[in-house]
Amino acid sequence: MEGIDKMGRFKKTGKKGVPELNMGSMSDIIFMFLFFFMVITTMRESSLFVVIQIPKATEIQKLEKKALVSSINIGKPNQNYIKKLGPEPRIQLNDQFAEPKDIVEFVEVEKRRRNEVERTMITWSLKVDEKVKMGIVTDVKQELRKASAFKVNYASRKDIER
Amino acid sequence: MAKKTPGLNTGSMADISFLLLTFFLLTSSINTDQGIQRRLPPPLAPDQEVPEMNRRNVLQILVNKHDQLLVNGEVLTDVRQLKNRTKEFISNPNNNSSLSEQHSKYIEDLGENIMVSKGVVSLQNDRSTSYSMYVSVQNQLTKAFNELREEYAQQHFGKSFDKLSETQKKGVQKIYPISISEAEPSNYGGNR
């Protein structure tokens, strides 16, 4: 019956004030968050040297396995390179500029990175700026066919249906 | 007597991990790749002949360098008309003699004979066609096939295509395969 008087009321005794919160588990919670985000996200891949605004489409599908996607970027060189290379659209593979004839080798290298089973399942994602003319894209597609890389994806962003 | 180890001050631990968290949030991207998926045909062997096709079984789509559309010799002013043209061509509901032929085919996954179109969409573009136009044409074609599949699923299974079982989906996909043939690029000059 300590701390309560004869009338059954609480007595004002001892220290007043809010008890301190135990912050020990705070870091655990935050770490859990951190790992969660690390698992579901991927690091931004090699920086782009070309400017790409991908076109809009309504009938888009998501690519399921990120590990099985290799990107081919096509667009105008960005500010740092436009003086040197001019405004003509260029191809970027991994982190260098390339010509259509380099595609076959690129496909080989990308295939070698994966194991036997996954090789035929690679999706070649064409990330092409919407203003680019089809000429260069056709060249790339022809090279992909030569290298037997048949599964392509025309990267596009979601458009709201009108 | 054992020495007592002084307690570590872990108060700043939360701050450190917060900092890490924000770092990863900024440097990573959740958005996955998405787009229109297609299968390219294997390259033609030099001695291989292009198979002859009946004129009525081909829906010829031409896109010129000004992004204008010509479908079987007729100008389309809006890309969005292309979807209905394609659907009509493939399904041919009134058995029109100028649209694609239908023939009976045994679909394994569904275990029955079903009328399937012989139609093929032939797509040809100029080297100077813009990529956005090309993608919107591909988008319209995909939409036509998706809608045909959806309609079939609704009529025969009474539910949406997405809700069908895997074998049913495969079967319906075989009834309406995405049959788009892209012409071999011809070298009609012009600059890159």
Side-chain angles (χ1 to χ4, degrees), chain A residues 27 41-42 44 58-59 61 63 127-128 130 132-135 139 141 145 150 152-154 156 161, chain B residues 13 28-29 33-43 127-129 131-132 134 139 143 146 182 184:
Chain A
S27 59
T41 60
T42 44
R44 207 163 274 172
T58 54
E59 305 297 304
Q61 281 173 292
L63 295 184
K127 292 181 184 153
V128 185
E130 55 186 1
V132 167
K133 301 288 177 205
M134 275 309 286
D139 291 342
K141 271 162 62 185
R145 285 175 64 188
F150 299 131
V152 295
N153 170 57
Y154 301 111
S156 20
E161 235 159 307
Chain B
M13 192 69 157
S28 57
S29 51
D33 283 333
Q34 47 185 21
I36 300 172
Q37 287 175 44
R38 280 282 173 279
R39 259 202 110 74
L40 297 177
R127 286 189 74 88
S128 303
T129 306
Y131 182 69
S132 63
Y134 177 77
N139 187 45
K143 202 170 175 180
N146 283 349
E182 287 183 57
E184 297 285 317

mmCIF file of all heavy atoms in Angstrom, chain A residues 27 41-42 44 58-59 61 63 127-128 130 132-135 139 141 145 150 152-154 156 161, chain B residues 13 28-29 33-43 127-129 131-132 134 139 143 146 182 184:
data_model
loop_
_atom_site.group_PDB
_atom_site.id
_atom_site.type_symbol
_atom_site.label_atom_id
_atom_site.label_comp_id
_atom_site.label_asym_id
_atom_site.label_seq_id
_atom_site.Cartn_x
_atom_site.Cartn_y
_atom_site.Cartn_z
ATOM 1 N N SER A 27 18.365 0.887 -32.534
ATOM 2 C CA SER A 27 19.316 0.614 -33.606
ATOM 3 C C SER A 27 18.977 -0.697 -34.316
ATOM 4 O O SER A 27 19.141 -0.816 -35.532
ATOM 5 C CB SER A 27 20.735 0.572 -33.067
ATOM 6 O OG SER A 27 20.809 -0.423 -32.085
ATOM 7 N N THR A 41 16.202 -3.542 -53.055
ATOM 8 C CA THR A 41 16.646 -2.590 -54.074
ATOM 9 C C THR A 41 17.964 -3.035 -54.685
ATOM 10 O O THR A 41 18.612 -3.943 -54.200
ATOM 11 C CB THR A 41 16.846 -1.192 -53.490
ATOM 12 O OG1 THR A 41 17.831 -1.288 -52.479
ATOM 13 C CG2 THR A 41 15.569 -0.636 -52.947
ATOM 14 N N THR A 42 18.302 -2.388 -55.748
ATOM 15 C CA THR A 42 19.590 -2.681 -56.369
ATOM 16 C C THR A 42 20.342 -1.381 -56.521
ATOM 17 O O THR A 42 19.752 -0.321 -56.698
ATOM 18 C CB THR A 42 19.390 -3.273 -57.758
ATOM 19 O OG1 THR A 42 18.386 -2.518 -58.425
ATOM 20 C CG2 THR A 42 18.967 -4.713 -57.673
ATOM 21 N N ARG A 44 22.295 1.555 -58.139
ATOM 22 C CA ARG A 44 22.194 2.172 -59.457
ATOM 23 C C ARG A 44 23.358 1.681 -60.309
ATOM 24 O O ARG A 44 24.504 1.701 -59.880
ATOM 25 C CB ARG A 44 22.247 3.690 -59.316
ATOM 26 C CG ARG A 44 21.534 4.389 -60.430
ATOM 27 C CD ARG A 44 21.261 5.824 -60.031
ATOM 28 N NE ARG A 44 20.019 5.945 -59.280
ATOM 29 C CZ ARG A 44 19.644 7.066 -58.702
ATOM 30 N NH1 ARG A 44 20.404 8.120 -58.734
ATOM 31 N NH2 ARG A 44 18.503 7.120 -58.061
ATOM 32 N N THR A 58 1.174 1.478 -72.980
ATOM 33 C CA THR A 58 0.182 0.996 -72.018
ATOM 34 C C THR A 58 0.334 -0.487 -71.732
ATOM 35 O O THR A 58 0.039 -0.952 -70.645
ATOM 36 C CB THR A 58 -1.242 1.252 -72.521
ATOM 37 O OG1 THR A 58 -1.381 0.684 -73.817
ATOM 38 C CG2 THR A 58 -1.545 2.732 -72.579
ATOM 39 N N GLU A 59 0.781 -1.258 -72.721
ATOM 40 C CA GLU A 59 0.791 -2.721 -72.588
ATOM 41 C C GLU A 59 2.130 -3.233 -72.083
ATOM 42 O O GLU A 59 2.744 -4.091 -72.690
ATOM 43 C CB GLU A 59 0.475 -3.369 -73.937
ATOM 44 C CG GLU A 59 -0.803 -2.899 -74.571
ATOM 45 C CD GLU A 59 -2.012 -3.236 -73.729
ATOM 46 O OE1 GLU A 59 -2.189 -4.406 -73.422
ATOM 47 O OE2 GLU A 59 -2.765 -2.308 -73.373
ATOM 48 N N GLN A 61 4.997 -4.988 -69.612
ATOM 49 C CA GLN A 61 5.168 -6.099 -68.696
ATOM 50 C C GLN A 61 6.395 -5.822 -67.856
ATOM 51 O O GLN A 61 7.346 -5.216 -68.329
ATOM 52 C CB GLN A 61 5.402 -7.390 -69.479
ATOM 53 C CG GLN A 61 4.154 -8.007 -70.037
ATOM 54 C CD GLN A 61 4.524 -9.172 -70.928
ATOM 55 O OE1 GLN A 61 5.109 -8.987 -71.984
ATOM 56 N NE2 GLN A 61 4.209 -10.365 -70.494
ATOM 57 N N LEU A 63 9.807 -6.994 -66.045
ATOM 58 C CA LEU A 63 10.807 -8.036 -66.202
ATOM 59 C C LEU A 63 11.040 -8.667 -64.836
ATOM 60 O O LEU A 63 11.372 -7.971 -63.881
ATOM 61 C CB LEU A 63 12.105 -7.445 -66.748
ATOM 62 C CG LEU A 63 11.995 -6.880 -68.151
ATOM 63 C CD1 LEU A 63 13.348 -6.405 -68.626
ATOM 64 C CD2 LEU A 63 11.454 -7.914 -69.097
ATOM 65 N N LYS A 127 17.039 0.202 -74.021
ATOM 66 C CA LYS A 127 16.612 1.475 -73.444
ATOM 67 C C LYS A 127 16.973 2.564 -74.437
ATOM 68 O O LYS A 127 18.128 2.958 -74.539
ATOM 69 C CB LYS A 127 17.292 1.703 -72.101
ATOM 70 C CG LYS A 127 16.801 0.723 -71.071
ATOM 71 C CD LYS A 127 17.439 0.934 -69.731
ATOM 72 C CE LYS A 127 16.955 -0.147 -68.788
ATOM 73 N NZ LYS A 127 17.921 -0.436 -67.735
ATOM 74 N N VAL A 128 15.981 2.992 -75.163
ATOM 75 C CA VAL A 128 16.228 3.900 -76.263
ATOM 76 C C VAL A 128 15.445 5.188 -76.038
ATOM 77 O O VAL A 128 14.288 5.157 -75.621
ATOM 78 C CB VAL A 128 15.809 3.253 -77.600
ATOM 79 C CG1 VAL A 128 16.169 4.140 -78.768
ATOM 80 C CG2 VAL A 128 16.451 1.898 -77.760
ATOM 81 N N GLU A 130 13.197 8.315 -76.865
ATOM 82 C CA GLU A 130 12.057 8.291 -77.790
ATOM 83 C C GLU A 130 12.296 9.101 -79.064
ATOM 84 O O GLU A 130 11.626 8.896 -80.066
ATOM 85 C CB GLU A 130 10.783 8.749 -77.081
ATOM 86 C CG GLU A 130 10.874 10.106 -76.423
ATOM 87 C CD GLU A 130 9.622 10.436 -75.613
ATOM 88 O OE1 GLU A 130 8.708 9.595 -75.553
ATOM 89 O OE2 GLU A 130 9.572 11.542 -75.048
ATOM 90 N N VAL A 132 15.082 9.116 -80.809
ATOM 91 C CA VAL A 132 16.059 8.464 -81.682
ATOM 92 C C VAL A 132 15.364 7.892 -82.918
ATOM 93 O O VAL A 132 14.233 7.437 -82.853
ATOM 94 C CB VAL A 132 16.765 7.333 -80.892
ATOM 95 C CG1 VAL A 132 17.548 6.415 -81.805
ATOM 96 C CG2 VAL A 132 17.674 7.926 -79.834
ATOM 97 N N LYS A 133 16.067 7.946 -84.055
ATOM 98 C CA LYS A 133 15.502 7.380 -85.289
ATOM 99 C C LYS A 133 15.695 5.871 -85.290
ATOM 100 O O LYS A 133 16.622 5.354 -84.679
ATOM 101 C CB LYS A 133 16.191 7.997 -86.506
ATOM 102 C CG LYS A 133 16.048 9.504 -86.580
ATOM 103 C CD LYS A 133 14.636 9.881 -86.953
ATOM 104 C CE LYS A 133 14.450 11.387 -86.951
ATOM 105 N NZ LYS A 133 13.074 11.786 -86.729
ATOM 106 N N MET A 134 14.834 5.174 -86.037
ATOM 107 C CA MET A 134 14.856 3.715 -86.024
ATOM 108 C C MET A 134 16.117 3.113 -86.645
ATOM 109 O O MET A 134 16.442 1.963 -86.385
ATOM 110 C CB MET A 134 13.634 3.160 -86.763
ATOM 111 C CG MET A 134 12.389 3.042 -85.921
ATOM 112 S SD MET A 134 12.670 2.178 -84.396
ATOM 113 C CE MET A 134 12.818 0.503 -84.992
ATOM 114 N N GLY A 135 16.827 3.882 -87.481
ATOM 115 C CA GLY A 135 17.985 3.334 -88.175
ATOM 116 C C GLY A 135 18.945 2.621 -87.257
ATOM 117 O O GLY A 135 19.248 1.436 -87.431
ATOM 118 N N ASP A 139 19.803 -1.460 -86.705
ATOM 119 C CA ASP A 139 21.152 -2.021 -86.758
ATOM 120 C C ASP A 139 21.423 -2.895 -85.537
ATOM 121 O O ASP A 139 21.941 -4.003 -85.645
ATOM 122 C CB ASP A 139 22.198 -0.897 -86.816
ATOM 123 C CG ASP A 139 22.144 -0.159 -88.143
ATOM 124 O OD1 ASP A 139 21.562 -0.724 -89.084
ATOM 125 O OD2 ASP A 139 22.663 0.962 -88.212
ATOM 126 N N LYS A 141 19.246 -4.334 -83.584
ATOM 127 C CA LYS A 141 18.414 -5.533 -83.612
ATOM 128 C C LYS A 141 19.007 -6.583 -84.551
ATOM 129 O O LYS A 141 19.006 -7.776 -84.225
ATOM 130 C CB LYS A 141 16.992 -5.173 -84.052
ATOM 131 C CG LYS A 141 16.112 -4.800 -82.870
ATOM 132 C CD LYS A 141 14.884 -4.037 -83.288
ATOM 133 C CE LYS A 141 13.984 -4.812 -84.192
ATOM 134 N NZ LYS A 141 12.861 -3.974 -84.667
ATOM 135 N N ARG A 145 20.247 -10.369 -83.509
ATOM 136 C CA ARG A 145 19.824 -11.596 -84.167
ATOM 137 C C ARG A 145 21.027 -12.430 -84.563
ATOM 138 O O ARG A 145 21.042 -13.643 -84.403
ATOM 139 C CB ARG A 145 18.994 -11.258 -85.410
ATOM 140 C CG ARG A 145 17.601 -10.793 -85.086
ATOM 141 C CD ARG A 145 16.872 -10.359 -86.334
ATOM 142 N NE ARG A 145 16.677 -11.463 -87.270
ATOM 143 C CZ ARG A 145 16.191 -11.288 -88.507
ATOM 144 N NH1 ARG A 145 15.859 -10.103 -88.933
ATOM 145 N NH2 ARG A 145 16.031 -12.325 -89.296
ATOM 146 N N PHE A 150 17.657 -13.330 -78.804
ATOM 147 C CA PHE A 150 16.359 -13.094 -79.421
ATOM 148 C C PHE A 150 15.347 -12.422 -78.512
ATOM 149 O O PHE A 150 14.391 -11.837 -78.971
ATOM 150 C CB PHE A 150 15.770 -14.423 -79.914
ATOM 151 C CG PHE A 150 16.625 -15.087 -80.944
ATOM 152 C CD1 PHE A 150 16.958 -16.423 -80.831
ATOM 153 C CD2 PHE A 150 17.112 -14.369 -82.025
ATOM 154 C CE1 PHE A 150 17.755 -17.033 -81.775
ATOM 155 C CE2 PHE A 150 17.911 -14.975 -82.969
ATOM 156 C CZ PHE A 150 18.225 -16.306 -82.847
ATOM 157 N N VAL A 152 14.035 -9.716 -76.603
ATOM 158 C CA VAL A 152 14.293 -8.298 -76.378
ATOM 159 C C VAL A 152 13.118 -7.651 -75.655
ATOM 160 O O VAL A 152 12.013 -8.173 -75.629
ATOM 161 C CB VAL A 152 14.540 -7.520 -77.696
ATOM 162 C CG1 VAL A 152 15.787 -7.988 -78.376
ATOM 163 C CG2 VAL A 152 13.347 -7.622 -78.604
ATOM 164 N N ASN A 153 13.422 -6.528 -75.055
ATOM 165 C CA ASN A 153 12.418 -5.770 -74.342
ATOM 166 C C ASN A 153 12.590 -4.318 -74.739
ATOM 167 O O ASN A 153 13.684 -3.777 -74.655
ATOM 168 C CB ASN A 153 12.634 -5.949 -72.836
ATOM 169 C CG ASN A 153 11.794 -5.014 -72.028
ATOM 170 O OD1 ASN A 153 10.579 -4.996 -72.131
ATOM 171 N ND2 ASN A 153 12.449 -4.204 -71.202
ATOM 172 N N TYR A 154 11.512 -3.713 -75.229
ATOM 173 C CA TYR A 154 11.578 -2.289 -75.542
ATOM 174 C C TYR A 154 11.167 -1.530 -74.293
ATOM 175 O O TYR A 154 9.975 -1.428 -73.994
ATOM 176 C CB TYR A 154 10.645 -1.945 -76.698
ATOM 177 C CG TYR A 154 10.943 -2.705 -77.976
ATOM 178 C CD1 TYR A 154 10.072 -3.666 -78.452
ATOM 179 C CD2 TYR A 154 12.101 -2.440 -78.686
ATOM 180 C CE1 TYR A 154 10.356 -4.367 -79.622
ATOM 181 C CE2 TYR A 154 12.391 -3.132 -79.846
ATOM 182 C CZ TYR A 154 11.516 -4.094 -80.312
ATOM 183 O OH TYR A 154 11.794 -4.780 -81.456
ATOM 184 N N SER A 156 9.846 0.798 -71.716
ATOM 185 C CA SER A 156 8.927 1.928 -71.795
ATOM 186 C C SER A 156 8.311 2.157 -70.429
ATOM 187 O O SER A 156 8.354 1.303 -69.562
ATOM 188 C CB SER A 156 7.846 1.689 -72.844
ATOM 189 O OG SER A 156 7.710 0.332 -73.144
ATOM 190 N N GLU A 161 -4.133 5.151 -69.851
ATOM 191 C CA GLU A 161 -4.956 4.970 -71.033
ATOM 192 C C GLU A 161 -5.926 6.133 -71.225
ATOM 193 O O GLU A 161 -6.524 6.610 -70.278
ATOM 194 C CB GLU A 161 -5.736 3.660 -70.918
ATOM 195 C CG GLU A 161 -5.504 2.768 -72.095
ATOM 196 C CD GLU A 161 -5.843 1.332 -71.763
ATOM 197 O OE1 GLU A 161 -5.317 0.812 -70.765
ATOM 198 O OE2 GLU A 161 -6.630 0.764 -72.502
ATOM 199 N N MET B 13 24.099 5.019 -31.896
ATOM 200 C CA MET B 13 23.986 3.896 -32.843
ATOM 201 C C MET B 13 22.812 4.115 -33.788
ATOM 202 O O MET B 13 22.920 3.927 -35.012
ATOM 203 C CB MET B 13 23.751 2.621 -32.035
ATOM 204 C CG MET B 13 23.889 1.367 -32.833
ATOM 205 S SD MET B 13 25.571 1.106 -33.314
ATOM 206 C CE MET B 13 25.522 -0.651 -33.560
ATOM 207 N N SER B 28 19.842 3.802 -54.255
ATOM 208 C CA SER B 28 19.258 2.634 -54.904
ATOM 209 C C SER B 28 17.949 3.008 -55.572
ATOM 210 O O SER B 28 17.369 4.055 -55.333
ATOM 211 C CB SER B 28 19.008 1.540 -53.882
ATOM 212 O OG SER B 28 18.181 2.050 -52.878
ATOM 213 N N SER B 29 17.514 2.141 -56.457
ATOM 214 C CA SER B 29 16.253 2.386 -57.142
ATOM 215 C C SER B 29 15.400 1.127 -57.057
ATOM 216 O O SER B 29 15.884 0.019 -57.265
ATOM 217 C CB SER B 29 16.503 2.753 -58.592
ATOM 218 O OG SER B 29 17.346 1.782 -59.170
ATOM 219 N N ASP B 33 12.854 -2.943 -64.375
ATOM 220 C CA ASP B 33 12.729 -2.703 -65.805
ATOM 221 C C ASP B 33 11.365 -3.159 -66.282
ATOM 222 O O ASP B 33 10.886 -4.207 -65.882
ATOM 223 C CB ASP B 33 13.800 -3.497 -66.551
ATOM 224 C CG ASP B 33 15.146 -2.837 -66.430
ATOM 225 O OD1 ASP B 33 15.166 -1.611 -66.262
ATOM 226 O OD2 ASP B 33 16.161 -3.535 -66.488
ATOM 227 N N GLN B 34 10.778 -2.375 -67.132
ATOM 228 C CA GLN B 34 9.523 -2.802 -67.717
ATOM 229 C C GLN B 34 9.438 -2.314 -69.148
ATOM 230 O O GLN B 34 10.109 -1.372 -69.529
ATOM 231 C CB GLN B 34 8.342 -2.289 -66.895
ATOM 232 C CG GLN B 34 8.442 -0.826 -66.536
ATOM 233 C CD GLN B 34 7.325 -0.392 -65.620
ATOM 234 O OE1 GLN B 34 6.712 -1.211 -64.956
ATOM 235 N NE2 GLN B 34 7.037 0.877 -65.614
ATOM 236 N N GLY B 35 8.621 -2.962 -69.917
ATOM 237 C CA GLY B 35 8.508 -2.569 -71.311
ATOM 238 C C GLY B 35 7.743 -3.601 -72.107
ATOM 239 O O GLY B 35 7.111 -4.487 -71.559
ATOM 240 N N ILE B 36 7.810 -3.458 -73.422
ATOM 241 C CA ILE B 36 7.126 -4.378 -74.317
ATOM 242 C C ILE B 36 8.103 -5.471 -74.721
ATOM 243 O O ILE B 36 9.190 -5.170 -75.196
ATOM 244 C CB ILE B 36 6.618 -3.630 -75.568
ATOM 245 C CG1 ILE B 36 5.644 -2.544 -75.138
ATOM 246 C CG2 ILE B 36 5.969 -4.580 -76.548
ATOM 247 C CD1 ILE B 36 5.240 -1.626 -76.258
ATOM 248 N N GLN B 37 7.709 -6.715 -74.513
ATOM 249 C CA GLN B 37 8.636 -7.800 -74.812
ATOM 250 C C GLN B 37 8.346 -8.442 -76.158
ATOM 251 O O GLN B 37 7.205 -8.632 -76.529
ATOM 252 C CB GLN B 37 8.575 -8.837 -73.699
ATOM 253 C CG GLN B 37 9.248 -8.310 -72.459
ATOM 254 C CD GLN B 37 9.131 -9.236 -71.285
ATOM 255 O OE1 GLN B 37 9.306 -10.427 -71.423
ATOM 256 N NE2 GLN B 37 8.803 -8.682 -70.140
ATOM 257 N N ARG B 38 9.403 -8.748 -76.846
ATOM 258 C CA ARG B 38 9.293 -9.326 -78.180
ATOM 259 C C ARG B 38 10.361 -10.388 -78.365
ATOM 260 O O ARG B 38 11.392 -10.359 -77.711
ATOM 261 C CB ARG B 38 9.528 -8.243 -79.237
ATOM 262 C CG ARG B 38 8.357 -7.357 -79.508
ATOM 263 C CD ARG B 38 7.364 -8.062 -80.401
ATOM 264 N NE ARG B 38 6.169 -7.246 -80.515
ATOM 265 C CZ ARG B 38 5.208 -7.210 -79.614
ATOM 266 N NH1 ARG B 38 5.294 -7.964 -78.551
ATOM 267 N NH2 ARG B 38 4.173 -6.457 -79.779
ATOM 268 N N ARG B 39 10.103 -11.308 -79.294
ATOM 269 C CA ARG B 39 11.117 -12.287 -79.694
ATOM 270 C C ARG B 39 11.556 -11.964 -81.096
ATOM 271 O O ARG B 39 10.738 -11.859 -82.002
ATOM 272 C CB ARG B 39 10.514 -13.691 -79.662
ATOM 273 C CG ARG B 39 10.897 -14.461 -78.450
ATOM 274 C CD ARG B 39 10.757 -15.945 -78.684
ATOM 275 N NE ARG B 39 12.073 -16.570 -78.737
ATOM 276 C CZ ARG B 39 12.822 -16.765 -77.668
ATOM 277 N NH1 ARG B 39 12.412 -16.387 -76.485
ATOM 278 N NH2 ARG B 39 14.001 -17.344 -77.776
ATOM 279 N N LEU B 40 12.838 -11.793 -81.281
ATOM 280 C CA LEU B 40 13.346 -11.545 -82.623
ATOM 281 C C LEU B 40 13.434 -12.878 -83.363
ATOM 282 O O LEU B 40 13.676 -13.912 -82.758
ATOM 283 C CB LEU B 40 14.740 -10.911 -82.551
ATOM 284 C CG LEU B 40 14.851 -9.552 -81.885
ATOM 285 C CD1 LEU B 40 16.300 -9.128 -81.840
ATOM 286 C CD2 LEU B 40 14.039 -8.513 -82.626
ATOM 287 N N PRO B 41 13.229 -12.855 -84.669
ATOM 288 C CA PRO B 41 13.381 -14.096 -85.436
ATOM 289 C C PRO B 41 14.850 -14.411 -85.644
ATOM 290 O O PRO B 41 15.667 -13.497 -85.688
ATOM 291 C CB PRO B 41 12.699 -13.762 -86.768
ATOM 292 C CG PRO B 41 12.855 -12.290 -86.892
ATOM 293 C CD PRO B 41 12.858 -11.717 -85.510
ATOM 294 N N PRO B 42 15.198 -15.699 -85.751
ATOM 295 C CA PRO B 42 16.593 -16.028 -86.043
ATOM 296 C C PRO B 42 16.972 -15.502 -87.419
ATOM 297 O O PRO B 42 16.102 -15.340 -88.272
ATOM 298 C CB PRO B 42 16.624 -17.555 -86.003
ATOM 299 C CG PRO B 42 15.211 -17.989 -86.063
ATOM 300 C CD PRO B 42 14.368 -16.878 -85.574
ATOM 301 N N PRO B 43 18.250 -15.216 -87.642
ATOM 302 C CA PRO B 43 18.647 -14.648 -88.934
ATOM 303 C C PRO B 43 18.358 -15.605 -90.077
ATOM 304 O O PRO B 43 18.426 -16.821 -89.906
ATOM 305 C CB PRO B 43 20.150 -14.408 -88.779
ATOM 306 C CG PRO B 43 20.569 -15.189 -87.594
ATOM 307 C CD PRO B 43 19.387 -15.345 -86.725
ATOM 308 N N ARG B 127 14.143 3.914 -91.900
ATOM 309 C CA ARG B 127 15.259 4.157 -90.970
ATOM 310 C C ARG B 127 15.084 5.464 -90.211
ATOM 311 O O ARG B 127 15.671 5.657 -89.156
ATOM 312 C CB ARG B 127 16.586 4.180 -91.731
ATOM 313 C CG ARG B 127 17.057 2.819 -92.183
ATOM 314 C CD ARG B 127 18.475 2.922 -92.716
ATOM 315 N NE ARG B 127 19.450 3.097 -91.646
ATOM 316 C CZ ARG B 127 20.014 2.075 -91.010
ATOM 317 N NH1 ARG B 127 19.711 0.849 -91.314
ATOM 318 N NH2 ARG B 127 20.892 2.292 -90.066
ATOM 319 N N SER B 128 14.284 6.367 -90.761
ATOM 320 C CA SER B 128 14.105 7.665 -90.101
ATOM 321 C C SER B 128 12.817 7.752 -89.296
ATOM 322 O O SER B 128 12.473 8.814 -88.795
ATOM 323 C CB SER B 128 14.128 8.783 -91.132
ATOM 324 O OG SER B 128 15.316 8.740 -91.864
ATOM 325 N N THR B 129 12.103 6.640 -89.166
ATOM 326 C CA THR B 129 10.939 6.629 -88.283
ATOM 327 C C THR B 129 11.425 6.858 -86.861
ATOM 328 O O THR B 129 12.474 6.357 -86.481
ATOM 329 C CB THR B 129 10.245 5.255 -88.354
ATOM 330 O OG1 THR B 129 9.954 4.957 -89.706
ATOM 331 C CG2 THR B 129 8.977 5.241 -87.544
ATOM 332 N N TYR B 131 11.635 6.443 -82.847
ATOM 333 C CA TYR B 131 11.486 5.277 -81.974
ATOM 334 C C TYR B 131 10.175 5.322 -81.208
ATOM 335 O O TYR B 131 9.543 4.295 -80.983
ATOM 336 C CB TYR B 131 12.672 5.224 -81.007
ATOM 337 C CG TYR B 131 12.654 4.032 -80.084
ATOM 338 C CD1 TYR B 131 12.860 2.751 -80.575
ATOM 339 C CD2 TYR B 131 12.437 4.186 -78.715
ATOM 340 C CE1 TYR B 131 12.844 1.654 -79.741
ATOM 341 C CE2 TYR B 131 12.427 3.088 -77.871
ATOM 342 C CZ TYR B 131 12.633 1.828 -78.389
ATOM 343 O OH TYR B 131 12.614 0.750 -77.558
ATOM 344 N N SER B 132 9.726 6.527 -80.827
ATOM 345 C CA SER B 132 8.479 6.615 -80.063
ATOM 346 C C SER B 132 7.307 6.134 -80.910
ATOM 347 O O SER B 132 6.387 5.476 -80.410
ATOM 348 C CB SER B 132 8.248 8.034 -79.551
ATOM 349 O OG SER B 132 8.094 8.910 -80.628
ATOM 350 N N TYR B 134 7.528 3.910 -83.344
ATOM 351 C CA TYR B 134 7.694 2.460 -83.442
ATOM 352 C C TYR B 134 7.124 1.776 -82.205
ATOM 353 O O TYR B 134 6.384 0.789 -82.307
ATOM 354 C CB TYR B 134 9.174 2.138 -83.605
ATOM 355 C CG TYR B 134 9.483 0.669 -83.652
ATOM 356 C CD1 TYR B 134 9.248 -0.072 -84.794
ATOM 357 C CD2 TYR B 134 10.015 0.018 -82.534
ATOM 358 C CE1 TYR B 134 9.525 -1.414 -84.846
ATOM 359 C CE2 TYR B 134 10.298 -1.326 -82.577
ATOM 360 C CZ TYR B 134 10.053 -2.043 -83.731
ATOM 361 O OH TYR B 134 10.320 -3.374 -83.760
ATOM 362 N N ASN B 139 2.942 -1.135 -79.369
ATOM 363 C CA ASN B 139 2.015 -1.110 -78.241
ATOM 364 C C ASN B 139 0.594 -1.407 -78.691
ATOM 365 O O ASN B 139 -0.113 -2.221 -78.084
ATOM 366 C CB ASN B 139 2.100 0.265 -77.585
ATOM 367 C CG ASN B 139 1.306 0.343 -76.307
ATOM 368 O OD1 ASN B 139 1.375 -0.556 -75.486
ATOM 369 N ND2 ASN B 139 0.536 1.406 -76.151
ATOM 370 N N LYS B 143 -1.653 -4.618 -77.728
ATOM 371 C CA LYS B 143 -2.956 -4.399 -77.129
ATOM 372 C C LYS B 143 -4.022 -5.204 -77.876
ATOM 373 O O LYS B 143 -4.885 -5.823 -77.251
ATOM 374 C CB LYS B 143 -3.293 -2.913 -77.210
ATOM 375 C CG LYS B 143 -4.312 -2.463 -76.219
ATOM 376 C CD LYS B 143 -4.369 -0.959 -76.238
ATOM 377 C CE LYS B 143 -5.461 -0.450 -75.351
ATOM 378 N NZ LYS B 143 -5.498 1.011 -75.376
ATOM 379 N N ASN B 146 -3.634 -8.797 -76.828
ATOM 380 C CA ASN B 146 -4.056 -8.959 -75.434
ATOM 381 C C ASN B 146 -5.566 -8.934 -75.311
ATOM 382 O O ASN B 146 -6.153 -9.714 -74.566
ATOM 383 C CB ASN B 146 -3.455 -7.850 -74.563
ATOM 384 C CG ASN B 146 -1.991 -8.110 -74.262
ATOM 385 O OD1 ASN B 146 -1.492 -9.194 -74.532
ATOM 386 N ND2 ASN B 146 -1.324 -7.125 -73.721
ATOM 387 N N GLU B 182 8.680 -8.678 -88.778
ATOM 388 C CA GLU B 182 9.278 -7.407 -89.160
ATOM 389 C C GLU B 182 10.134 -7.648 -90.374
ATOM 390 O O GLU B 182 10.979 -8.539 -90.382
ATOM 391 C CB GLU B 182 10.085 -6.843 -88.004
ATOM 392 C CG GLU B 182 9.177 -6.332 -86.919
ATOM 393 C CD GLU B 182 9.942 -5.700 -85.775
ATOM 394 O OE1 GLU B 182 10.697 -4.756 -86.037
ATOM 395 O OE2 GLU B 182 9.777 -6.153 -84.650
ATOM 396 N N GLU B 184 12.820 -7.696 -93.222
ATOM 397 C CA GLU B 184 14.268 -7.510 -93.239
ATOM 398 C C GLU B 184 14.525 -6.083 -93.694
ATOM 399 O O GLU B 184 13.942 -5.630 -94.678
ATOM 400 C CB GLU B 184 14.911 -8.473 -94.235
ATOM 401 C CG GLU B 184 14.737 -9.937 -93.907
ATOM 402 C CD GLU B 184 15.623 -10.387 -92.756
ATOM 403 O OE1 GLU B 184 16.787 -9.981 -92.740
ATOM 404 O OE2 GLU B 184 15.144 -11.118 -91.886
#
